[in-house]
Amino acid sequence: MTRILTAAFALMITASIAMAHCQVPCGIYGDQLRFEQMLEDEHTISKAQLQINEIADGEMSAQSINQAGRWVTTKEEHATKIQDTISAYFLAQRIKPDSEGYTKKLTAAHAVIIAAMKCKQSADPETAKVLEKAIFDLYRAYEGKEPAFEHSH
C-alpha cells in the first residue's frame, strides 16, 4: 500500500510540473505570463537558429557538432513548450466555444502551433520571426488589443 501511495504521489508531482497549467477549475490564470513565456521561448528558438547557422558556416569539429546538436535540442524543446502552452492552456482551458471571436482565436492559436512546428523543421531564422508574429496575432485575437510587451531581438 505504501508503494502505491508513493508512486501515486510521485506521479502527481511529475504531472503537475509537466503541464502548462493544471486542468482543475481553479480559476487562477495568468494569460499575460503565458504570452511572455511563449515570447521567451521564441527568442530562445531564434538564438538557437542563429547559433546553428554560425556553427554550420564554421569549421566542423567534434566540439562544433556537439554544440550544434545541443542547439537543435534546445530549439526543439522550446518549440514544443509553445505548442504545449497553446494546447494545454489556451485550447483546453481559455478559448471557450461560446466566447466572442472564437473562430478568430482558434485560427490564431493554430497558426502558433504551425509556426512552432516550422521552427522545429528548419534552422532558417525567418521561421522564428513568423512564430513571433503568430504569437502577437494570437494576443490580438485573444485580448482584443495591441500587445505591450518588452520583447525584442
Side-chain angles (χ1 to χ4, degrees):
M1 182 66 163
T2 303
R3 281 185 178 168
I4 293 171
L5 289 174
T6 303
F9 181 70
L11 183 59
M12 289 185 327
I13 288 174
T14 304
S16 67
I17 292 170
M19 297 300 297
H21 187 83
C22 65
Q23 292 190 2
V24 297
C26 65
I28 302 169
Y29 298 105
D31 296 340
Q32 184 76 17
L33 176 61
R34 298 302 176 264
F35 281 104
E36 290 171 7
Q37 287 172 333
M38 287 191 297
L39 287 169
E40 184 175 283
D41 289 328
E42 177 276 323
H43 190 82
T44 302
I45 291 165
S46 178
K47 171 131 186 178
Q49 289 172 328
L50 294 173
Q51 292 298 310
I52 292 164
N53 283 297
E54 186 177 302
I55 291 167
D57 289 341
E59 183 181 320
M60 284 304 198
S61 66
Q63 181 62 28
S64 64
I65 292 168
N66 180 65
Q67 284 303 105
R70 294 183 74 212
W71 280 114
V72 169
T73 299
T74 296
K75 177 177 69 86
E76 299 278 323
E77 288 172 349
H78 286 271
T80 298
K81 280 175 62 176
I82 291 170
Q83 291 173 321
D84 290 346
T85 298
I86 295 296
S87 298
Y89 184 77
F90 286 101
L91 295 178
Q93 300 179 78
R94 301 300 289 149
I95 299 175
K96 308 285 188 201
D98 59 349
S99 67
E100 184 178 327
Y102 177 65
T103 303
K104 187 175 182 179
K105 292 173 190 176
L106 279 182
T107 302
H110 187 248
V112 173
I113 291 171
I114 297 299
M117 176 191 68
K118 298 277 186 191
C119 287
K120 289 180 179 184
Q121 296 172 341
S122 176
D124 181 355
E126 191 61 34
T127 60
K129 292 176 185 174
V130 170
L131 176 58
E132 179 184 51
K133 180 186 178 311
I135 293 168
F136 283 130
D137 288 345
L138 174 59
Y139 184 88
R140 289 179 191 97
Y142 183 80
E143 292 290 343
K145 61 184 181 183
E146 284 299 310
F149 295 103
E150 291 183 26
H151 176 77
S152 63
H153 289 243

